[in-house]
Amino acid sequence: YTTQICPLVTGDMLCIYSDAFIETRNRNGEFLSEQQLIHMLKNSTEQNANHALKTMLSRFFLECGNNPPDDLT
């Protein structure tokens, strides 16, 4: 791993996620890609972090069902 410094300013959002989020298959057997995660984050920039998280989790469970893998619980 490398260390990086990334200053945050008011309005920035930091997303730390489990790999289960992008390694869980949806109902069609496809993975949610990092690009899809980035797209979801970019579409939630007008929301506060709590609302963005709820939106992302709602989409995740809508696409992948209500039985998440152990490391996502």
Side-chain angles (χ1 to χ4, degrees):
Y1 296 99
T2 60
T3 300
Q4 295 181 350
I5 296 173
C6 181
L8 299 175
V9 297
T10 301
D12 286 351
M13 187 182 312
L14 175 65
C15 178
I16 301 171
Y17 62 93
S18 165
D19 61 354
F21 198 84
I22 59 171
E23 293 179 353
T24 299
R25 294 183 186 271
N26 65 17
R27 297 171 198 261
N28 297 325
E30 303 163 330
F31 291 111
L32 174 69
S33 70
E34 283 188 39
Q35 289 302 322
Q36 289 171 303
L37 175 60
I38 290 168
H39 180 75
M40 284 193 302
L41 288 169
K42 286 182 177 179
N43 286 335
S44 63
T45 57
E46 298 299 319
Q47 305 171 3
N48 67 40
N50 192 34
H51 190 260
L53 175 63
K54 288 180 182 180
T55 300
M56 289 173 34
L57 288 175
S58 292
R59 178 169 174 208
F60 174 85
F61 288 116
L62 179 68
E63 292 191 16
C64 299
N66 289 323
N67 295 315
D70 288 338
D71 60 343
L72 186 67
T73 56

